[in-house]
Amino acid sequence: MTIDKSVFLPVDPDTAFSLITEPERLRRWQTVAARVDLRVGGDYRWTITPGHSAAGTFTEVEPGRRVVFTWGWEGSAPAADASTVTITLVPGDGGTTVRLVHEGLTPEEAVGHTEGWVHYLGRLEALATTGDAGADDWAAAPDPINELISAEATLAVAQRVLAGLTAADMDLPTPCAEFTMAALVEHLIGSVSGIGKALGATLADDAGASPEVRLANAAAPTLEAFNARGLDGTVDMGFAVLPAATVANILNLEFLVHAWDFATATGRTLEASPMLADYVLGLARNTIAPSMRGKSFAEATLVEESAESLDRLVAFTGRQVSNA
């Protein structure tokens, strides 16, 4: 079966093409993470929602006009080249029509993919029209969930916070007393990169890029490598050999707790699902040993028993929250 959907974007074809092919822009409307080798024969991997990554190969690339790629869900049948997506850009008065044709689907696949493309093309239209598609509700509270799926969900939260930072924010103090915003960005990138390298991922950091791009460049290959190896066994982190699940727990804490730090430092409210925060709190309780207090983590602070999950999580990591 074939899906055929179109949206009109109030932008020129080159801008529209960048929105549907460049990782930094894909993260604004369709993906949590995106790896793109944009050339004929090049491959891609897009984490659409936590726990669900699409992969395939580009078969046609005409900048500003058309892109064609094979499509399949990672880790499931049929193979990644079983269906094909063709996106055509047609310039018009005041903008560009984006036509998406997804061919080679079974009737069952067409139902789910139609719902998905309607959802994400709507977000693309919102991004092109208003500049912000908002947080993706489909990525907020994954079910089922495990340590790696939640790491992808917490990454989505962290990236949205970092995308809103400006150069003027970098000198601000943070809830981590020893870190300014700039120093906390370096700490976060360093922590994620250290895990990625231990997993054998190939990383490249551009210190001149925005904090959100730097985090994405470290986190995407790290999580891709982690998904490939799974949660069994141990990981040699250099300073210690840790259970793989514990390393995944650390990623969750780095993403979500530091997202709270960044949001709090800039006077913003962190958008995170209570379900996700509660799950990560459980991971924190399994990860932060009493011997780590006073070193990697401060002593837990007190909060009301009725406090929200996110407040209980950050309090457990030693941060002071407003309802303490």
Side-chain angles (χ1 to χ4, degrees), residues 52-201:
H52 298 90
S53 293
T57 303
F58 294 103
T59 59
E60 297 181 40
V61 178
E62 298 180 56
R65 297 182 59 189
R66 173 184 170 94
V67 62
V68 182
F69 48 91
T70 61
W71 173 280
W73 292 111
E74 187 175 81
S76 64
D81 61 354
S83 63
T84 301
V85 177
T86 300
I87 301 178
T88 306
L89 308 178
V90 181
D93 186 17
T96 303
T97 296
V98 177
R99 182 187 179 195
L100 179 143
V101 177
H102 194 162
E103 303 173 277
L105 298 167
T106 66
E108 294 78 13
E109 290 169 339
V111 173
H113 281 79
T114 297
E115 182 182 10
W117 285 122
V118 168
H119 174 75
Y120 285 108
L121 289 175
R123 286 178 53 78
L124 173 61
E125 185 177 21
L127 175 63
T129 303
T130 69
D132 185 6
D136 185 5
D137 291 341
W138 285 16
D143 181 23
I145 193 168
N146 64 22
E147 294 91 332
L148 290 179
I149 294 173
S150 63
E152 292 174 344
T154 54
L155 172 62
V157 174
Q159 287 177 160
R160 183 160 172 79
V161 173
L162 288 178
L165 300 184
T166 67
D169 295 325
M170 291 299 101
D171 290 332
L172 293 173
T174 72
C176 300
E178 68 273 29
F179 291 118
T180 62
M181 291 283 280
L184 191 57
V185 168
E186 295 301 328
H187 163 79
L188 176 58
I189 301 303
S191 295
V192 177
S193 297
I195 292 173
K197 291 174 183 176
L199 293 168

Side-chain angles (χ1 to χ4, degrees), residues 9-31 46 87 89 96 98 123-129 131:
L9 308 183
V11 299
D12 61 77
D14 288 338
T15 300
F17 190 79
S18 71
L19 290 173
I20 63 175
T21 59
E22 295 181 5
E24 184 176 357
R25 289 163 174 79
L26 285 164
R27 292 194 297 273
R28 301 291 179 267
W29 65 277
Q30 187 182 20
T31 74
W46 298 341
I87 301 178
L89 308 178
T96 303
V98 177
R123 286 178 53 78
L124 173 61
E125 185 177 21
L127 175 63
T129 303

